[in-house]
C-alpha cells in the first residue's frame, strides 16, 4: 500500500491549491480514495496492513473535512503559505465588526427569549448571507490579491460568524428537543 | 519435477475458493445468522427450520448451557437462571441497571456487572458469547466448514463500552470479528443492494430494546451515513410493558407474583402481535389463584395507550435530520427495521412524519442479518462484480475534561469514521509535572453531565511556567467505532497511550437523557459554563498573586500589602460562591490592586537578570 503522508490535502485530491473549489471533483476523488484505502478493503489482511489502512483512511477523512469547509480551507491555505491565523491570540478586530457582533449577540439573545424557531431560522438565514459575503471576500484575498494578512483577518471574522451560527443552532435545538 | 506451491499465510490460497463468512444480528430479543451463497444472502435455519434464535440462555446446576427455544421454555420455571435480554447489560455497571425489574442475582463487580447462576458467575459478555457460539455452530454445520470471520451488528447508538463488550463476546465465542457494523447501516446495505436504490434514505429501526435512526445517502455503490441518532431506552419491550399495565388496570388487579407477571407480559406481547393482523383481540389468562382474566383489546385502544412511545421516536428523527441538514422532503424513502415496526400505528406515524408510506418489502426481522452477511462476504475477500463502500459515523461526541469541570469536545457526533483529532492542552500551575486525562462521551458541556469513558495520567512533563507546556491529546476512532487515546508533551516527547477500555459504559437511561438534556438545558449549560470559566480565570489570578507575595512580598509597604490582601480575600470569597459576575468583578479588582506590585516585580526581575552580566554579553 503506497501513500504519501507528506503531500498536502490539495495534492492528495489532485486539486489546484486555491480557495476556489470544484466541490464535485473533491467529492468524487474523496470517494475514490476511500474505495482504495478504507479499512473495509483490508479486513482480512495482517495487522500492519490494517493499521496502515486505518491511518490513510483517517488522513483522507481529515483532508476531506478540511477542504470541504470554507473556513477550514482558508485557514489551511494560509498555513501552507506560512501565515498563522492567530485565532486564539489576536483579538484586535475593527470597531465596525465588533459593533456588528454586539448587534448579532443582542438579536440572538432576544430571539432566544422569544423561543420562536422561525425567528431563529430567519436570523440564521441573515447570518448565512453575511457568511457568504465574507467567504467570497476571503476567496478573493487568497486567490486574487494574495493579501495573506487581510485573509487571516477574514478567517478570524469567519470564526466569529461560525460561533454565532453554533449559538443559533443551540438555541433552535433547545426549543425543538 | 513440478514443485508444490505453498501460498503465503493469510493470503487466500486460490481466488476461486469461497471463504466462509457470516453476518450475525445479536438482538435483544432474537438473534440471527446469515451468509451469502451463490451470490445471494440468506438467513441460516436451525434443524427445525427456524431462523430466529431467541436471545435466551439457561444455565443448569450440572453446568449445562441451553440456548434459544429450549432455554425459553425454562424461563417460567427457572427465571433466575434463564438470562433474557442480556444485550441490555452489555458494558453496564450495576448502578446502571439497578431500577430494572429482573429476576437475576446480580454481582457487583468493578466495571461490568455479573450474574450469579446455577452454573456459576457469568458476565454479560460470556452470556452473549454463548448465544454467538450457538449461531457459529449452526453456521459451520450448515456451511460445512470453518468460518474465516463474522460481521456482528450493534445498535448505531451503542457507545464505546458496549461495542467493546460485543467484540469481546465474539472473540470469546471463537469468532474472528471482521467488523462491528451499525444495525441501520446493515439494513441499508440489504435494502439498497436489493433494490439498486439511489438517493437519501432513512432507516427507522425500532427493535426489542433500542431505537436507532440513520440517514444515509446511497450513490453508485457508496453508502454514506449522514447522521444517526436514537433512544437506547425505547423498544418493543416498552409497548409490551405499557400493555401489561393496561391489562392490570382493565382487570382491576394491582400487585402480581413473578410467575403471573411473566404470564401477563407474554399475553401482552401476543396481543400486540395479534393486532398487526386484526382490529381487535381477546386477552385471556388464568392466574395462579385460579382467577381468570378476559378483556378485549382494540387497535384503537392500543394506539391510544402507546402513542407517547411512538411520539418518543420523533425527536431523534428530527435531530438526525437537523444534523444532516435535511428536511423530510429530501428523503426518498424510509426503510423499516425491527420487529416493533410491524405495529400498524408505528407505520402510520412514520408515513405521516415523512409524507410517504415506508418501505416494507424486506422482512424487518431479517434485514439486519442479511446486510451484515453481505458486508461479511465483501470483508472476507469474496469480491463479486458489485463492490461497495461504506462510510459510517460515531453517534456521540467525544471530549476531554478541562479546568473547571468543563468538557472540550474533540470529535463531534456524526463524524465519519475512521477519524482522529488532536487537541492541545496546557498546564494550569507553574511547575506542574503531571496531567490527568479524562475522556468523556456525550453532548453536554459539564463533565458531570457526560459519561466517563476512561482516565489516565501523563507524568514527567518538564516543569515550566503555567501555560508553557504543550500537551497534544490524540483521539483515534477506528472503523468499528472503537476509541483509542494517546497524549504527548510536545517539547519533551513524554508520551502516554491507551486503548480506551472503559470499566463501564453509558447506561441506557444516561445515554438517552444526555442528548435530550443537552438540548433542554442549553441555557443552564451556558450559565454553568460562564461560572466555571470565571472561577478558572479568578483562581489563576489568585494563585499568581499568592506566589508573587511569597517571592517578592518585601516590595510592598504595610498599606500596599493590606490593599492586596483585602482584594485577595474578596476574590477568594467570591470564588467560593456561584455568582459569575461577582467572581469576575472581584478578580478584576485584585488584578488592579496588584498592578503596581507586578510592575515593581518586573523591574526587580529585570535587574536580577542583568546583574552579573556585561553589556557585551547581550
Amino acid at each position: 500500500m503506497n501513500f504519501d503522508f507528506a503531500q498536502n490535502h490539495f495534492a492528495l485530491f489532485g486539486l489546484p491549491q486555491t480557495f476556489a473549489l470544484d466541490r464535485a471533483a473533491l467529492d468524487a476523488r474523496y470517494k475514490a480514495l476511500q474505495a482504495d484505502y478504507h479499512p473495509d478493503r483490508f479486513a482480512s489482511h495482517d495487522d500492519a496492513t490494517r493499521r496502515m489502512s486505518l491511518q490513510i483512511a483517517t488522513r483522507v477523512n481529515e483532508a476531506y473535512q478540511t477542504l470541504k469547509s470554507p473556513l477550514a480551507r482558508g485557514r489551511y491555505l494560509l498555513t501552507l503559505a506560512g501565515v498563522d491565523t492567530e485565532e486564539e491570540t489576536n483579538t484586535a478586530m475593527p470597531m465596525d465588526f465588533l459593533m456588528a457582533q454586539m448587534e448579532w449577540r443582542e438579536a440572538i439573545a432576544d430571539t432566544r427569549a422569544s423561543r420562536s424557531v422561525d425567528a431563529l431560522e430567519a436570523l440564521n438565514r441573515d447570518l448565512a448571507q453575511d457568511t457568504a459575503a465574507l467567504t467570497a471576500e476571503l476567496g478573493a484575498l487568497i486567490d486574487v490579491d494574495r493579501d495573506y494578512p487581510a485573509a487571516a483577518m477574514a478567517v478570524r471574522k469567519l470564526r466569529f460568524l461560525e460561533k454565532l451560527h453554533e449559538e443559533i443552532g443551540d438555541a433552535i435545538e433547545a426549543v425543538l428537543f | 519435477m513440478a514443485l508444490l506451491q505453498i501460498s503465503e499465510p493469510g493470503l487466500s490460497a486460490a481466488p476461486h475458493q469461497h471463504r466462509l463468512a457470516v453476518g450475525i444480528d445479536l438482538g435483544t430479543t432474537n438473534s440471527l445468522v446469515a451468509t451469502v451463497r451463490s451470490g445471494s444472502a440468506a438467513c441460516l435455519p436451525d434443524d427445525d427450520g427456524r431462523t430466529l434464535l431467541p436471545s435466551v440462555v439457561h444455565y443448569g446446576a450440572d453446568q449445562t448451557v441451553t440456548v434459544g427455544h429450549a432455554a425459553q421454555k425454562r424461563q417460567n420455571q427457572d427465571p433466575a437462571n434463564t438470562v433474557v435480554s442480556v444485550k441490555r447489560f452489555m458494558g453496564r455497571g450495576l448502578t446502571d441497571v439497578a431500577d430494572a425489574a429482573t429476576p437475576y442475582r446480580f454481582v457487583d463487580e468493578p466495571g461490568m456487572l455479573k450474574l450469579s447462576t446455577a452454573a456459576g458467575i457469568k458476565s454479560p459478555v460470556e452470556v452473549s458469547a454463548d448465544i454467538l457460539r450457538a449461531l457459529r455452530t449452526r453456521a459451520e454445520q450448515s456451511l460445512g466448514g470453518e468460518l474465516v470471520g463474522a460481521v456482528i451488528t450493534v445498535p448505531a447508538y451503542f457507545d464505546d463500552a458496549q461495542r467493546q463488550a460485543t467484540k469481546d463476546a465474539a472473540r470469546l465465542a471463537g469468532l474472528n470479528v471482521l467488523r462491528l457494523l451499525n444495525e441501520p447501516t446493515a439494513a441499508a446495505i440489504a435494502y439498497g443492494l436489493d433494490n439498486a436504490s439511489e438517493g437519501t434514505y432513512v432507516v427507522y429501526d425500532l427493535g426489542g430494546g433500542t431505537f436507532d435512526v440513520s440517514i444515509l445517502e446511497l450513490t453508485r455503490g457508496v453508502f454514506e451515513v449522514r447522521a444517526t441518532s436514537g433512544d437506547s431506552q425505547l423498544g418493543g419491550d416498552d409497548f409490551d410493558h405499557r400493555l401489561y399495565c393496561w391489562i392490570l388496570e382493565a382487570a382491576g388487579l394491582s400487585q402480581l407474583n413473578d410467575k403471573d407477571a411473566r404470564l401477563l407480559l407474554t399475553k401482552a406481547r401476543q396481543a400486540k402481535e395479534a393486532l398487526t393482523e386484526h382490529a381487535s383481540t381477546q386477552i385471556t389468562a388464568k392466574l395462579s389463584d385460579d382467577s381468570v382474566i378476559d378483556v378485549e383489546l382494540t387497535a384503537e385502544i392500543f394506539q391510544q395507550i402507546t402513542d407517547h412511545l411512538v411520539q418518543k421516536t420523533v425527536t431523534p428523527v428530527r435531530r438526525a435530520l437537523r444534523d444532516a441538514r435535511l428536511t423530510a422532503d429530501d428523503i426518498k424513502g424510509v426503510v423499516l427495521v425491527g420487529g416493533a415496526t410491524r405495529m400498524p400505528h408505528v407505520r402510520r406515524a412514520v408515513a405521516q412524519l415523512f409524507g410517504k408510506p415506508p418501505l416494507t418489502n424486506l422482512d424487518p426481522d431479517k434485514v439486519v442479518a442479511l446486510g451484515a452477511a453481505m458486508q461479511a462476504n465483501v470483508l472476507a475477500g469474496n469480491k463479486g462484480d458489485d463492490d461497495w463502500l461504506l462510510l459510517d459515523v460515531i453517534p456521540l461526541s467525544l471530549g476531554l475534561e478541562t479546568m473547571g469541570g468543563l468538557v472540550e469536545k474533540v470529535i463531534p457526533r456524526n463524524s465519519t469514521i475512521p477519524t482522529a483529532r488532536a487537541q492541545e492542552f496546557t498546564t494550569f500551575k507553574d511547575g506542574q509535572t503531571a496531567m490527568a486525562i479524562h475522556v468523556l462521551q456525550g453532548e453536554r458541556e459539564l463533565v458531570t453531565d457526560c459519561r466517563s469513558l476512561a482516565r489516565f495520567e501523563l507524568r514527567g512533563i518538564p516543569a515550566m511556567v503555567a501555560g508553557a507546556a504543550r500537551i497534544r491529546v490524540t483521539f483515534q476512532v477506528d472503523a468499528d467505532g472503537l476509541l483509542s487515546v494517546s497524549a504527548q508533551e510536545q517539547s519533551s516527547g513524554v508520551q502516554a497511550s491507551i486503548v480506551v477500555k472503559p470499566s463501564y459504559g453509558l447506561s441506557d437511561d444516561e445515554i438517552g437523557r444526555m442528548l435530550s438534556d443537552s438540548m433542554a438545558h442549553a441555557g443552564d449549560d451556558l450559565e454553568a459554563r460562564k461560572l466555571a470559566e470565571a472561577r478558572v480565570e479568578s483562581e489563576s489570578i489568585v494563585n499568581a498573586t499568592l506566589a508573587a507575595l511569597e517571592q517578592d512580598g518585601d516590595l510592598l509597604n504595610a498599606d500596599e500589602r493590606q490593599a492586596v490582601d483585602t482584594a485577595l480575600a474578596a476574590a477568594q470569597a467570591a470564588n467560593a460562591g456561584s455568582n459569575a459576575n461577582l467572581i469576575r468583578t472581584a478578580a478584576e479588582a485584585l488584578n488592579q490592586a496588584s498592578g503596581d506590585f507586578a510592575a515593581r516585580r518586573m523591574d526587580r526581575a529585570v535587574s536580577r537578570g542583568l546583574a552579573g552580566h556585561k553589556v557585551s554579553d547581550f
Side-chain angles (χ1 to χ4, degrees):
Chain A
M1 207 180 328
N2 284 319
F3 187 86
D4 178 9
F5 279 97
Q7 69 188 328
N8 77 40
H9 298 341
F10 290 97
L12 171 61
F13 291 111
L15 293 168
Q17 193 171 317
T18 56
F19 186 84
L21 179 77
D22 182 346
R23 180 59 197 272
L26 174 70
D27 287 359
R29 192 78 189 106
Y30 166 66
K31 283 172 184 168
L33 282 168
Q34 285 294 13
D36 286 345
Y37 293 113
H38 193 276
D40 283 354
R41 288 285 174 269
F42 304 95
S44 302
H45 288 65
D46 61 86
D47 280 357
T49 309
R50 292 210 310 260
R51 241 191 332 271
M52 177 62 94
S53 141
L54 172 66
Q55 281 170 8
I56 298 172
T58 299
R59 164 64 70 87
V60 171
N61 274 334
E62 181 199 345
Y64 179 60
Q65 294 305 329
T66 304
L67 296 199
K68 208 168 68 163
S69 144
L71 172 56
R73 185 166 73 245
R75 183 187 295 135
Y76 184 66
L77 278 164
L78 289 172
T79 310
L80 290 179
V83 177
D84 184 352
T85 53
E86 299 175 329
E87 285 158 77
E88 303 296 337
T89 50
N90 189 341
T91 50
M93 303 299 279
M95 190 49 80
D96 58 340
F97 183 77
L98 288 177
M99 294 304 286
Q101 280 291 306
M102 283 176 62
E103 280 167 26
W104 270 113
R105 287 194 183 282
E106 277 169 27
I108 293 172
D110 291 349
T111 319
R112 183 200 293 270
S114 76
R115 294 185 65 78
S116 157
V117 173
D118 287 346
L120 285 163
E121 292 286 15
L123 214 54
N124 233 346
R125 282 192 293 275
D126 292 348
L127 182 66
Q129 280 187 1
D130 279 18
T131 305
L134 194 52
T135 304
E137 194 184 314
L138 174 63
L141 286 169
I142 293 177
D143 286 352
V144 184
D145 305 341
R146 298 185 194 285
D147 184 347
Y148 298 141
M153 172 61 85
V155 164
R156 289 195 293 275
K157 286 180 177 173
L158 271 174
R159 179 80 182 276
F160 272 90
L161 298 192
E162 190 183 68
K163 281 192 177 152
L164 291 175
H165 178 71
E166 282 167 14
E167 270 182 43
I168 296 174
D170 288 348
I172 290 172
E173 293 192 350
V175 177
L176 284 182
F177 306 130
Chain B
M1 193 183 96
L3 292 172
L4 292 175
Q5 292 178 318
I6 298 174
S7 67
E8 197 169 330
L11 293 180
S12 58
H16 62 269
Q17 189 184 326
H18 185 78
R19 290 155 62 89
L20 300 178
V22 294
I24 292 178
D25 175 1
L26 184 61
T28 308
T29 325
N30 293 297
S31 298
L32 297 99
V33 58
T35 196
V36 174
R37 271 190 296 197
S38 345
S40 71
C43 291
L44 302 173
D46 64 8
D47 293 341
D48 297 321
R50 299 171 296 201
T51 51
L52 291 182
L53 177 78
S55 303
V56 184
V57 185
H58 177 263
Y59 292 98
D62 55 354
Q63 301 296 314
T64 53
V65 178
T66 321
V67 180
H69 291 96
Q72 206 169 32
K73 286 186 188 131
R74 318 287 286 267
Q75 201 180 328
N76 284 337
Q77 306 126 34
D78 193 11
N81 296 309
T82 312
V83 186
V84 300
S85 302
V86 70
K87 191 170 177 177
R88 287 190 294 144
F89 306 140
M90 293 290 270
R92 296 288 192 252
L94 187 57
T95 49
D96 298 325
V97 296
D99 54 340
T102 60
Y104 310 121
R105 298 180 297 270
F106 288 118
V107 181
D108 197 5
E109 292 266 321
M112 212 184 305
L113 62 81
K114 289 193 173 155
L115 303 148
S116 177
T117 75
I121 290 176
K122 301 283 175 188
S123 80
V125 169
E126 290 169 280
V127 181
S128 299
D130 284 327
I131 298 169
L132 289 169
R133 209 173 279 119
L135 292 170
R136 177 186 162 206
T137 307
R138 181 193 289 188
E140 291 185 340
Q141 279 172 358
S142 157
L143 301 174
E146 211 169 301
L147 302 177
V148 300
V151 166
I152 318 282
T153 62
V154 289
Y157 225 48
F158 253 21
D159 67 36
D160 199 76
Q162 295 167 304
R163 282 169 199 268
Q164 192 65 59
T166 305
K167 200 169 179 178
D168 290 348
R171 285 206 199 100
L172 202 58
L175 288 164
N176 171 35
V177 181
L178 295 167
R179 182 73 69 237
L180 295 180
L181 180 61
N182 290 328
E183 287 160 10
T185 311
I189 292 175
Y191 184 84
L193 296 177
D194 214 50
N195 297 272
S197 304
E198 301 248 317
T200 308
Y201 286 80
V202 166
V203 178
Y204 180 102
D205 181 356
L206 189 60
T210 57
F211 173 64
D212 277 340
V213 55
S214 286
I215 299 174
L216 293 102
E217 204 161 292
L218 278 54
T219 46
R220 278 156 299 158
V222 182
F223 294 80
E224 191 177 7
V225 180
R226 296 281 303 273
T228 195
S229 187
D231 185 335
S232 55
Q233 51 176 335
L234 182 65
D237 293 354
D238 297 293
F239 289 75
D240 297 351
H241 191 259
R242 179 67 195 95
L243 187 48
Y244 162 80
C245 293
W246 178 85
I247 297 171
L248 287 188
E249 251 173 73
L253 297 166
S254 53
Q255 245 359 68
L256 291 182
N257 63 35
D258 277 0
K259 201 165 167 240
D260 286 343
R262 227 175 236 285
L263 175 69
L264 283 192
L265 261 174
T266 308
K267 292 287 176 189
R269 199 191 65 229
Q270 288 166 349
K272 175 188 77 178
E273 287 166 7
L275 288 181
T276 302
E277 305 280 331
H278 305 97
S280 79
T281 183
Q282 205 68 23
I283 301 169
T284 52
K286 192 172 166 186
L287 301 183
S288 46
D289 63 356
D290 283 340
S291 63
V292 171
I293 287 177
D294 188 11
V295 290
E296 191 197 19
L297 174 71
T298 64
E300 205 181 342
I301 293 174
F302 184 51
Q303 175 172 356
Q304 268 170 26
I305 61 173
T306 57
D307 188 56
H308 65 291
L309 295 172
V310 179
Q311 290 309 313
K312 270 178 93 172
T313 66
V314 174
T315 300
V317 169
R318 288 222 180 100
R319 187 174 292 136
L321 281 170
R322 223 188 118 63
D323 281 355
R325 300 181 179 211
L326 296 169
T327 66
D329 295 339
D330 300 320
I331 304 304
K332 195 166 164 195
V334 187
V335 180
L336 292 185
V337 182
T341 59
R342 286 213 171 82
M343 288 183 274
H345 65 301
V346 170
R347 294 190 172 188
R348 280 196 299 275
V350 173
Q352 202 183 355
L353 193 56
F354 290 97
K356 49 181 76 73
L359 304 159
T360 55
N361 48 347
L362 286 178
D363 183 338
D365 281 328
K366 292 181 181 164
V367 62
V368 168
L370 294 174
M374 293 171 174
Q375 186 69 3
N377 191 51
V378 167
L379 298 187
N382 299 323
K383 284 194 183 170
D385 298 334
D386 49 340
D387 207 356
W388 61 88
L389 171 69
L390 198 61
L391 299 166
D392 218 318
V393 300
I394 56 161
L396 288 159
S397 303
L398 293 163
L400 283 177
E401 174 169 356
T402 65
M403 286 308 298
L406 299 176
V407 181
E408 177 88 18
K409 275 183 194 153
V410 181
I411 299 184
R413 69 173 189 262
N414 291 321
S415 294
T416 304
I417 52 174
T419 185
R421 211 64 65 86
Q423 189 102 0
E424 283 197 353
F425 292 87
T426 189
T427 45
F428 180 61
K429 283 192 172 155
D430 288 351
Q432 185 177 336
T433 59
M435 187 180 262
I437 308 283
H438 186 193
V439 185
L440 298 125
Q441 191 160 29
E443 309 307 322
R444 299 283 301 275
E445 293 192 320
L446 297 178
V447 167
T448 45
D449 298 326
C450 286
R451 185 74 189 201
S452 168
L453 280 186
R455 289 172 190 271
F456 66 104
E457 272 186 12
L458 186 67
R459 300 196 161 274
I461 300 170
M464 291 181 239
V465 293
R470 285 265 163 281
I471 288 93
R472 194 176 170 82
V473 180
T474 307
F475 284 61
Q476 170 81 59
V477 180
D478 68 14
D480 289 327
L482 292 171
L483 171 71
S484 57
V485 181
S486 59
Q488 187 171 29
E489 203 290 307
Q490 293 297 89
S491 58
S492 66
V494 172
Q495 199 162 2
S497 165
I498 56 156
V499 172
V500 174
K501 277 222 170 176
S503 42
Y504 51 89
L506 295 161
S507 76
D508 283 343
D509 284 353
E510 271 188 80
I511 199 166
R513 185 181 56 80
M514 279 192 302
L515 255 181
S516 52
D517 281 9
S518 135
M519 310 308 172
H521 299 292
D524 293 357
D525 274 2
L526 207 65
E527 288 308 309
R529 183 161 196 134
K530 268 189 200 153
L531 175 62
E533 278 172 357
R535 273 202 190 121
V536 170
E537 182 71 32
S538 171
E539 272 166 22
S540 136
I541 297 172
V542 167
N543 282 338
T545 309
L546 285 171
L549 284 174
E550 189 166 322
Q551 203 182 347
D552 294 315
D554 58 301
L555 287 173
L556 297 174
N557 65 35
D559 283 353
E560 288 164 341
R561 175 69 188 236
Q562 178 66 40
V564 173
D565 280 346
T566 310
L568 191 61
Q572 283 169 322
N575 272 359
S578 51
N579 181 335
N581 283 334
L582 195 66
I583 294 173
R584 222 170 247 138
T585 316
E588 185 51 35
L590 173 59
N591 213 9
Q592 283 183 359
S594 58
D596 273 358
F597 179 38
R600 259 181 263 171
R601 291 188 67 219
M602 187 63 80
D603 289 346
R604 172 182 276 185
V606 169
S607 58
R608 266 187 199 145
L610 291 173
H613 291 280
K614 293 193 221 82
V615 179
S616 57
D617 291 344
F618 295 95

